[in-house]
Amino acid sequence: MDSALALEIEQVSRQKALEEEALRGESAVRQFYAGTTALITGGTGFIGKQLIEKLLRSCDVKRIYLLIRSKKGKSMQERLKSQLNDPVYDNLRSQQPDFTRKVIPVEGDISELGVGLNNEDRMKLAQEVNVIFHVAATTRFEEPLKKATFINVRGTREIMELAKCCKDLRSFVHVSTAFSNATKSRINHDLEEKIYESPVPPEVMIHLAETVEECRLNAITADLIRDWPNTYCFTKAIAEDVVRTMGKDLPVAIVRPPVVICTLNEPTPGWVDMSSVIGPSGIILTILLGVMHVLLMSDINIPLAPLDYVNNAVIAAASEANKRYNNNEKEIKVYNISCSGCKIETSCLSDLMNNPNTQQYVTPKAVWYCYAFSTGSDVIFWLLTWLLHYIPAYVADFVFNVTSMKRPEGIKSFVKMYEKINNMSLLYAWSYYSNWSAYLV
């Protein structure tokens, strides 16, 4: 048997006792969710897909409404059908063959006013929904400020308005990020489990995005975001203030995940979504595929969390928010899912890849021998990048262009592929070089 498959089977078998315990229904969290109707925004993304799986497999929910829009020529029904065939649902499918009937798509767009809902769907959600998970966000670090504001800030305002209309809302969870307040001035400082002062009043930022031309807004973005490293962190910080001001009389919790990587245990070890490959998980994936061989980083403390740990915290946070609200504890609780003791050294990737125990688990789909070098030196990084990435890429493109050899599926140009990989690596380098401490949830 393949070594990686054997390891996966072993890990899955360890989860059986936990699943059996959950299915008994004695858990306070499961009891909270039993028979409830949930609404998830961002359910087509990395976090959202596994959140749906976990809710259906372990929490006995009645149904899940999924805010989804047509995209790239596919209707919302086609997108949902394709998503529910993802391997992340294989375990659930074996236990509940008809689970798909519980997942109901609702046409909407988080970037639009009223999240793009028509009146009929809005009334239906207001009548039926008990729990809202607001996961939707643009996570692109270099997203234009206008678009980032519409999705991350105004989208949060609009979904909070919907929450206020719900007749029997029992909990609302806003998924933020551990880096929402990781500013340049707070490097080497603790990031506490509290809502910080917003860099710009939310309504002011929304008004700017709605009225100022994009080219003018782009020109002043650097001055607006100031202490924040990018528009993603900046707008997520403002979104938290939206939740604070609009969620005062609601059962609300804020969950701040760190860098989210593949699943550790549930529903299967190592699952990662294609939507997350342009990010930290993608960096690891490209190394294990034998595509990427050099990374710019230093000895740092970087918070990482497996996806299943994140969603377990999100699910538990909703139950706890309801409990606190019923006990008249109206303060919005913030949970940092982070561990400041997670040390990553410059040699960790090469040590990992040079370990013979690691090589036996490399995917058969690897395109080249898997090895990696990590360095904190810009000069060494650029030298290795040319030697190990660009020069082989130019040679490969030349060979494929002058011969009849068939290119690997999905790769039109090796040089352009490495340009994207290099840009992704540099984009995350700022975070890798900066240290913050966050209290463990």
Side-chain angles (χ1 to χ4, degrees), residues 56-225:
L56 291 173
R57 178 168 51 84
S58 302
C59 297
D60 194 27
V61 294
K62 181 180 179 180
R63 69 174 62 89
I64 295 175
Y65 285 111
L66 190 63
L67 188 71
I68 189 171
R69 60 190 171 94
S70 301
K71 185 178 180 181
K72 295 181 179 179
K74 288 187 176 182
S75 67
M76 65 172 185
Q77 292 88 354
E78 290 173 327
R79 291 185 66 198
L80 179 61
K81 182 179 179 181
S82 176
Q83 173 174 324
L84 296 180
N85 287 325
D86 191 286
V88 72
Y89 301 107
D90 286 351
N91 189 21
L92 174 63
R93 187 175 292 105
S94 67
Q95 299 176 15
Q96 303 176 35
D98 60 345
F99 79 93
T100 57
R101 65 180 177 82
K102 292 186 176 182
V103 185
I104 303 172
V106 179
E107 183 84 43
D109 187 337
I110 199 66
S111 67
E112 300 292 334
L113 289 172
V115 296
L117 291 170
N118 61 43
N119 290 334
E120 181 181 350
D121 286 340
R122 190 176 185 86
M123 290 178 61
K124 178 171 62 175
L125 294 177
Q127 289 290 335
E128 298 182 24
V129 168
N130 309 118
V131 183
I132 296 177
F133 297 99
H134 180 40
V135 185
T138 174
T139 58
R140 286 184 58 199
F141 286 0
E142 296 180 318
E143 193 76 80
L145 187 55
K146 181 183 282 285
K147 184 175 180 179
T149 298
F150 284 158
I151 297 174
N152 293 348
V153 182
R154 192 176 72 177
T156 300
R157 183 191 70 181
E158 298 302 292
I159 203 70
M160 290 294 298
E161 289 286 2
L162 177 61
K164 287 186 173 183
C165 297
C166 292
K167 305 299 182 183
D168 185 23
L169 183 72
R170 303 177 193 177
S171 194
F172 180 102
V173 177
H174 172 71
V175 178
S176 185
T177 170
F179 299 99
S180 59
N181 296 285
T183 60
K184 300 169 187 176
S185 61
R186 296 190 182 112
I187 292 177
N188 296 320
H189 287 73
D190 290 331
L191 299 179
E192 301 180 42
E193 290 180 319
K194 68 177 186 180
I195 301 175
Y196 287 79
E197 182 180 355
S198 178
V200 177
E203 288 303 324
V204 172
M205 191 65 247
I206 293 171
H207 180 72
L208 282 173
E210 291 176 336
T211 59
V212 177
E213 293 180 359
E214 185 164 12
C215 60
R216 293 183 61 190
L217 197 56
N218 290 342
I220 63 173
T221 292
D223 290 331
L224 276 174
I225 69 176

Side-chain angles (χ1 to χ4, degrees), residues 381-437:
F381 170 76
W382 282 111
L383 178 61
L384 290 176
T385 295
W386 273 98
L387 287 175
L388 303 178
H389 290 172
Y390 283 123
I391 292 177
Y394 278 109
V395 171
D397 277 345
F398 175 78
V399 170
F400 281 104
N401 287 336
V402 300
T403 66
S404 59
M405 292 177 61
K406 185 179 179 181
R407 288 180 179 271
E409 185 177 353
I411 301 179
K412 296 180 179 180
S413 168
F414 285 94
V415 172
K416 290 183 178 180
M417 178 188 72
Y418 276 112
E419 285 177 350
K420 290 182 179 180
I421 291 174
N422 186 55
N423 289 336
M424 175 178 66
S425 178
L426 292 176
L427 195 59
Y428 284 91
W430 187 88
S431 297
Y432 294 159
Y433 273 112
S434 307
N435 290 297
W436 300 271
S437 295

Side-chain angles (χ1 to χ4, degrees), residues 293-305:
H293 304 294
V294 57
L295 181 64
L296 179 64
M297 62 185 296
S298 61
D299 291 346
I300 52 171
N301 292 309
I302 184 169
L304 303 170

